[in-house]
Amino acid sequence: MRNAGGVRVTIREVADRAGVSAATVSRVLNKPEMVDPDTKERVRSAMESLNFHPNAIARGLSSTHTHTIGLLVPAIQDFFFDELYFGIDKETRANGMKVLFFDAQHSRHRALEGFSFLRQHQVDGIIFTSQLVDEDYDAVIERLGIPVVLTLTESSGKFPIPSYKTDEVKAMFDSVSYLVSRGHRRIGFITGHMQEDSTGVLRTEGFKQGLAHYGIPYREAFTQRGDYRFDSGYAAMQRLLERQADNRLTAICCISDEMAIGAMHCLHDHGLRVPDDMSVMGFDDVRVARMVMPKLTTISQPFTEIGQHAVRAVLQMSQEPSLPYPTGVHYLPHHLVERASVRTVTVDAAD
Amino acid sequence: MRNAGGVRVTIREVADRAGVSAATVSRVLNKPEMVDPDTKERVRSAMESLNFHPNAIARGLSSTHTHTIGLLVPAIQDFFFDELYFGIDKETRANGMKVLFFDAQHSRHRALEGFSFLRQHQVDGIIFTSQLVDEDYDAVIERLGIPVVLTLTESSGKFPIPSYKTDEVKAMFDSVSYLVSRGHRRIGFITGHMQEDSTGVLRTEGFKQGLAHYGIPYREAFTQRGDYRFDSGYAAMQRLLERQADNRLTAICCISDEMAIGAMHCLHDHGLRVPDDMSVMGFDDVRVARMVMPKLTTISQPFTEIGQHAVRAVLQMSQEPSLPYPTGVHYLPHHLVERASVRTVTVDAAD
DNA sequence: TTGTATGCGTTATCAA
DNA sequence: TTGATAACGCATACAA
């Protein structure tokens, strides 16, 4: 660090000023109980007057644990991020740890860069979130040499990376069940592009299983794809509406709240009311889901809890390496939040 | 770093494997042109087979600049954050820098902690955002010894910290002007608690100036306070509605989009339509402003540009310390985004 | 072109 | 309880 004049102040200068050795200064920093109260006081006031802050970089060099965990996310703009972060922050804080954050901006290249960045900053472990984690990451993660935990996603590779998330297949199945229980059988589907997108694949699988369970055939004509964001939801709905004369949809099932909201806007712009003329179902239960009108009926993911679990797993892996790793996928319970965007419909006899 | 077995792989082991010295390995990393092609090749394949990645921490210890800038924000949950971050990320990236992020969760104590954390990680400078930056921060920032730049806020202290933001007084004045031009004179006001909240103070000042300019008296009875978030906007509107028989408001002016949206929901729950029965005006133009119905008319802040300017300022201050600091407040232009939540009203003769 | 020696700021080990 | 001294992983003068 530097004082106001720009001169670096190190532990050694504090030591000189306090008339002790560098080791002692280090001790008042890390193991204050081991040092004499008087000297401790002298050292502290020396630090104060010299305006000294320990260099975390050098610190990480000497000691193994930095008490910092890395967080690598696809994009901070994703609406779910604030809740996930809330859980992570809460839990790290409760354990006296810090979070080092890196945003990959939906780029695989930047995700790799992120691993390297976090690694180089000597984090004790990494929490990773991405739409896709395939076998290409296996080698990267394996050779990283520090614990990695997945949230909201799972790996399709062979390396058994611990993962905390909801059972998306089941969640989407439940979503369909709900719509069917409300009388819907002609259900439009707005999903992901399915490329580099395991989330989309799983949710689509759940959607299909749901339909199959109720004896409703899955139709490509009822499906449109987007990128999880508002505009793409709007556009997908637009395309669905162009075929509406044939399709005669009564409900739209979306794999993200943001696309659901986009769809609602598109419907509105075409003079269709939600849920009177068309029901809309979301997925995620992000904070905005209850800010739109009608409030969005959706599947709630326990983002905060997922974040907390992930932190605990990383801590356990890094602090108790003797314990077996919590490998594999850990499902946390989702639940359906019934609000106002889906209505009950009388079954169309023609179907 | 460690390989799969958990053993650290350093530059030295690469050197051994390649049959050269550590210095040579360091050279192929930093000045490859100085190394014989053959040795270079041997070293590279040694790095490859040992799965070696340089430790940037140790690297940063030797050199001064970490090419990382610190970002200290009040709370990641704030909806404006994603756009601000977008600008910051874009600009840092363009300059080959990284961002180290810290979330203060609206706590002054944690903000102080954040300064220390970022400082200890040797960032080249810090971008700071907070609802309040008073003279108490002067000392902290001054002795930090690295450049600090403010965004979306300004300091009330004496230390001339550079600041990038919009002119909130003027922006709120414009908001009132717009409402008045639409025929509104009985305007409700949902603002902040004004304690530890310079943003609220400035926007309230702008609101009052606006009213005064049009000869409309400011009335406490038309004002309610909240914490910028959805629920508090709802509650504030609720209280306003309780006096509506006396107040006969035709429009509500809010100092944040989120509170405006909360107010809209409250109105809806009371059977009042926006904008037919009541106009609502927001502030910020966060991404959700266009996701609600009706879409929110609001004041747009150029978050992305503000982020970019802040980064440039930090870089200039840290890389060209000889140049004068860009001290003082730099206003970036706001503009009013006319959407659908405000309607024109015929002036009430009784007013 | 390459190797040796030293420093960066801190922690850890071992004596005292 | 404290102090020397040796790491930690890398970069860089300086020497060869």
Side-chain angles (χ1 to χ4, degrees):
Chain A
M1 79 155 307
R2 309 150 190 250
N3 64 21
V7 187
R8 280 165 178 280
V9 175
T10 75
I11 209 172
R12 186 148 287 134
E13 314 185 42
V14 174
D16 287 352
R17 167 90 99 164
V20 298
S21 74
T24 300
V25 177
S26 176
R27 279 188 205 103
V28 349
L29 244 27
N30 302 292
K31 315 196 167 151
E33 70 280 2
M34 285 182 59
V35 45
D36 181 272
D38 282 358
T39 29
K40 185 157 50 184
E41 191 40 53
R42 256 187 307 140
V43 170
R44 286 206 169 127
S45 74
M47 297 201 290
E48 183 85 14
S49 69
L50 286 173
N51 180 27
F52 164 82
H53 287 223
N55 183 330
I57 304 276
R59 223 166 185 175
L61 232 199
S62 316
S63 62
T64 325
H65 289 259
T66 54
H67 301 285
T68 298
I69 111 171
L71 173 58
L72 179 49
V73 300
I76 205 171
Q77 291 91 343
D78 293 335
F79 278 141
F80 64 78
F81 182 65
D82 61 345
E83 287 184 61
L84 177 68
Y85 181 81
F86 182 73
I88 290 174
D89 181 82
K90 190 171 168 185
E91 195 67 24
T92 45
R93 191 142 273 275
N95 288 280
M97 315 260 314
K98 294 272 187 299
V99 176
L100 195 49
F101 164 87
F102 195 93
D103 181 353
Q105 286 293 335
H106 288 304
S107 146
R108 194 191 190 86
H109 173 71
R110 289 193 55 174
L112 260 19
E113 218 176 274
F115 275 117
S116 183
F117 176 78
L118 295 173
R119 179 70 185 72
Q120 295 178 351
H121 275 267
Q122 310 291 103
V123 295
D124 296 342
I126 292 176
I127 294 178
F128 182 42
T129 298
S130 171
Q131 268 177 31
L132 179 78
V133 183
D134 58 20
E135 66 273 8
D136 292 359
Y137 283 100
D138 277 5
V140 177
I141 289 175
E142 195 172 357
R143 47 171 58 181
L144 214 50
I146 54 175
V148 173
V149 166
L150 266 28
T151 57
L152 304 176
T153 187
E154 61 194 83
S155 171
S156 59
K158 295 187 177 49
F159 197 64
I161 314 167
S163 161
Y164 294 83
K165 55 173 301 199
T166 50
D167 184 341
E168 296 173 286
V169 175
K170 174 100 179 31
M172 209 55 180
F173 183 98
D174 292 348
S175 184
V176 174
S177 291
Y178 174 75
L179 288 171
V180 171
S181 77
R182 289 293 173 275
H184 299 278
R185 293 185 70 84
R186 304 186 72 86
I187 304 170
F189 186 43
I190 298 182
T191 184
H193 289 298
M194 319 283 279
Q195 282 152 4
E196 307 240 319
D197 170 25
S198 66
T199 304
V201 171
L202 290 171
R203 296 184 187 179
T204 300
E205 173 62 23
F207 181 76
K208 288 181 178 172
Q209 284 187 14
L211 290 184
H213 184 261
Y214 294 99
I216 304 172
Y218 169 83
R219 310 193 194 177
E220 263 314 317
F222 287 8
T223 300
Q224 287 297 336
R225 297 168 203 291
D227 64 3
Y228 294 83
R229 305 295 284 272
F230 180 83
D231 290 329
S232 75
Y234 189 104
M237 188 69 240
Q238 179 80 41
R239 293 191 298 272
L240 244 21
L241 246 25
E242 283 162 10
R243 307 181 176 187
Q244 176 63 350
D246 290 335
N247 288 355
R248 291 174 292 124
L249 269 17
T250 63
I252 308 295
C253 188
C254 305
I255 69 165
S256 83
D257 285 346
E258 223 187 300
M259 288 201 291
I261 294 170
M264 283 169 62
H265 272 264
C266 179
L267 289 164
H268 175 262
D269 290 351
H270 285 78
L272 266 23
R273 289 161 307 163
V274 176
D276 310 76
D277 300 315
M278 185 76 81
S279 291
V280 174
M281 180 93 192
F283 196 111
D284 280 343
D285 193 27
V286 291
R287 214 149 61 81
V288 269
R290 49 188 278 268
M291 296 195 189
V292 294
M293 269 177 305
K295 292 185 181 176
L296 195 61
T297 292
T298 187
I299 300 287
S300 173
Q301 294 205 69
F303 294 108
T304 303
E305 288 74 18
I306 286 174
Q308 291 181 283
H309 276 273
V311 171
R312 284 189 214 118
V314 168
L315 290 186
Q316 197 218 82
M317 290 163 78
S318 80
Q319 293 174 352
E320 319 258 18
S322 56
L323 291 180
Y325 273 20
T327 53
V329 180
H330 303 257
Y331 290 129
L332 276 79
H334 60 271
H335 67 276
L336 196 147
V337 182
E338 196 167 5
R339 288 200 270 248
S341 64
V342 175
R343 74 154 185 153
T344 299
V345 100
T346 50
V347 182
D348 183 349
D351 186 54
Chain B
M1 80 156 306
R2 308 151 191 248
N3 64 19
V7 187
R8 282 165 180 279
V9 175
T10 75
I11 207 174
R12 182 147 291 131
E13 313 185 42
V14 174
D16 287 352
R17 168 89 101 165
V20 298
S21 75
T24 302
V25 177
S26 175
R27 283 189 202 101
V28 349
L29 244 26
N30 303 292
K31 316 201 163 148
E33 69 280 3
M34 286 181 61
V35 176
D36 180 272
D38 282 359
T39 28
K40 185 157 50 186
E41 189 41 52
R42 255 186 310 139
V43 170
R44 288 209 167 123
S45 74
M47 297 201 291
E48 182 85 15
S49 68
L50 285 174
N51 177 32
F52 165 84
H53 288 225
N55 181 332
I57 293 284
R59 224 167 186 173
L61 237 197
S62 299
S63 55
T64 321
H65 287 261
T66 54
H67 299 286
T68 299
I69 111 171
L71 174 58
L72 179 50
V73 301
I76 206 170
Q77 291 90 340
D78 293 336
F79 278 141
F80 65 77
F81 182 66
D82 61 344
E83 287 183 61
L84 178 68
Y85 181 82
F86 182 73
I88 290 173
D89 181 82
K90 190 171 170 185
E91 195 66 25
T92 45
R93 191 140 273 277
N95 288 279
M97 315 263 310
K98 295 272 188 297
V99 176
L100 195 50
F101 164 87
F102 194 93
D103 181 352
Q105 287 293 335
H106 288 305
S107 146
R108 193 192 192 86
H109 173 72
R110 290 193 55 174
L112 261 17
E113 218 177 275
F115 276 117
S116 182
F117 176 79
L118 295 172
R119 183 70 185 72
Q120 293 182 2
H121 278 269
Q122 310 298 108
V123 296
D124 296 342
I126 292 177
I127 294 177
F128 182 41
T129 298
S130 172
Q131 268 175 29
L132 179 77
V133 182
D134 58 19
E135 66 273 9
D136 291 359
Y137 283 100
D138 278 5
V140 177
I141 291 175
E142 196 173 355
R143 49 167 48 191
L144 215 49
I146 54 175
V148 173
V149 166
L150 265 29
T151 57
L152 304 176
T153 188
E154 61 194 81
S155 172
S156 61
K158 296 187 175 49
F159 199 65
I161 313 168
S163 161
Y164 294 84
K165 56 173 302 198
T166 50
D167 183 339
E168 297 173 285
V169 175
K170 175 108 181 21
M172 209 56 180
F173 183 98
D174 291 348
S175 184
V176 173
S177 291
Y178 174 76
L179 288 171
V180 171
S181 78
R182 288 293 174 277
H184 299 277
R185 294 185 69 83
R186 305 188 70 88
I187 305 170
F189 186 43
I190 298 182
T191 184
H193 289 297
M194 320 282 281
Q195 281 152 5
E196 307 241 318
D197 170 24
S198 65
T199 305
V201 171
L202 290 172
R203 295 185 189 178
T204 300
E205 173 61 24
F207 181 75
K208 289 181 177 174
Q209 285 188 13
L211 289 184
H213 184 262
Y214 294 100
I216 304 172
Y218 169 82
R219 309 191 195 180
E220 262 317 315
F222 288 9
T223 300
Q224 288 297 335
R225 298 168 203 290
D227 64 2
Y228 294 84
R229 305 294 284 271
F230 179 85
D231 291 328
S232 75
Y234 189 104
M237 188 68 240
Q238 179 81 42
R239 293 192 296 272
L240 245 20
L241 246 26
E242 283 161 11
R243 309 181 174 187
Q244 177 63 351
D246 291 334
N247 288 355
R248 291 175 292 124
L249 269 18
T250 62
I252 307 294
C253 188
C254 305
I255 70 165
S256 84
D257 285 348
E258 223 186 300
M259 288 201 291
I261 295 170
M264 283 168 63
H265 272 262
C266 180
L267 289 164
H268 175 262
D269 290 351
H270 284 79
L272 265 24
R273 290 161 305 164
V274 175
D276 310 75
D277 300 315
M278 185 76 81
S279 291
V280 175
M281 180 94 192
F283 195 112
D284 279 344
D285 194 25
V286 292
R287 215 149 61 81
V288 269
R290 49 187 280 268
M291 296 194 188
V292 293
M293 271 178 299
K295 293 185 180 176
L296 195 61
T297 293
T298 188
I299 299 286
S300 173
Q301 294 206 69
F303 295 108
T304 302
E305 288 73 18
I306 286 174
Q308 290 181 283
H309 277 273
V311 171
R312 283 189 214 118
V314 168
L315 290 186
Q316 197 219 81
M317 290 163 79
S318 80
Q319 293 174 351
E320 318 257 18
S322 57
L323 291 181
Y325 273 20
T327 54
V329 181
H330 303 257
Y331 290 128
L332 276 78
H334 61 270
H335 68 276
L336 196 147
V337 183
E338 196 167 7
R339 288 200 270 248
S341 64
V342 175
R343 76 154 183 151
T344 299
V345 99
T346 49
V347 182
D348 182 350
D351 188 53

